[in-house]
Amino acid sequence: MQALLVFCVFFGALSVEGEVLNELNSLITFSPETDVSSSQHQPVDSSSAPTDEKRTNEAQRTRQVSDTATDTQSVMGRTEAVWVELNAVLERWGGAAGKLNAVLRELREEKKRLMDQGEEQKAKKKEEDEDDEEEEDDDDDEEEEEDEEEEEEEEEGKEEEAAEEEENDASNSTSTQDSLPEGCQLAESRISCKQIGLSHLPVITNLEVTILELPGNNLTRIPPRGFSELPNLEELDLNLNKLDDSSFGQSLFMNLTKLKSLKLDSNELTTIPRLPSSLEDLKINNNKINQLASHSFKGLPNLKVLELTGNILYEGSIAPWAFKPLKALKFLRLDKNRFSTIPADLPPSIEVSSAT
């Protein structure tokens, strides 16, 4: 605002100065001496020089000289006034210029101060950025160290878990082997008790067992919870025993939800027991099966292999649609029964079948 005021004063002074200088110039160009000299040197007619005319001419010249002097005095007075006003204008202009210079100096100083302040802020911001980067680097280092520590702890935990599992497996294997009857063998997840004269099912509590082989024994009965401690069992071999329809309850095999293969060859069964839906391979050869009801294979959509050779089946002993639930069946054996022809209504998925 102060700078704007100084500029206004400055341009006002220049305007006044211009007017005064113009007036002064007009006064200077006015030349009264020229008029006086011209009147003094006018030619006089010598032929007409009467005395009264001379007097008249002298009087006129005297008045002209007087008027010229008066005009000259007036012009000189006006010139003096103009010079006085011009001097005042110049003084005012000089003061305005001084103020303008002062304002300019202040502006330069303010500019320098602001630039210095900006440089200081830049330097400060740079230092802060560097500090932030250092802090971020420190944080990254700390995070990396924490991650490494966590990874080490996880690895240690995994190693400890693996060691514990090995110890548990070893202890389980040892305890299982100790609890098995003489002649049974334990190899990884397989327990084999073949032809050792067993008359009752041994107690087995190893959850890792997936294969149990009990063929060629004297088993006549299996308790309802005989396989309850073997939830991961996938293959069960009960061939060549003395099992009949009363040897086990209808829900015995239903608890084995992961069972895929069941072998019941060479027993004394007359009907098909209830079986889990996970079953894929069923062998009941050389038994006394004499009929297949419409519900005999109910709930076995995954069964692929079915062997019923060496039983007492014939055309009239198979109910209509008895094989309908077996939608995945591919291999069927019905030979060594009493069929004269291949039974009707077999699943269309069958690839190989034998009935005679």
Side-chain angles (χ1 to χ4, degrees), residues 15 49 58 75 111 124 130 148 156 176 210 220 244 313 328:
S15 177
E58 290 176 359
V75 168
K111 179 180 178 182
K124 186 176 180 181
E130 291 177 354
E148 291 177 357
E156 291 176 358
T176 302
T210 60
T220 59
D244 57 22
L313 295 171

Side-chain angles (χ1 to χ4, degrees), residues 171-190:
S171 61
N172 290 335
S173 298
T174 302
S175 61
T176 302
Q177 183 66 53
D178 294 339
S179 65
L180 291 175
E182 185 178 356
C184 291
Q185 301 294 326
L186 173 64
E188 295 182 355
S189 61
R190 178 193 297 267

Side-chain angles (χ1 to χ4, degrees), residues 54 156 317 337 346 349:
K54 290 181 179 181
E156 291 176 358
S317 66
N337 279 278
L346 295 178
S349 59

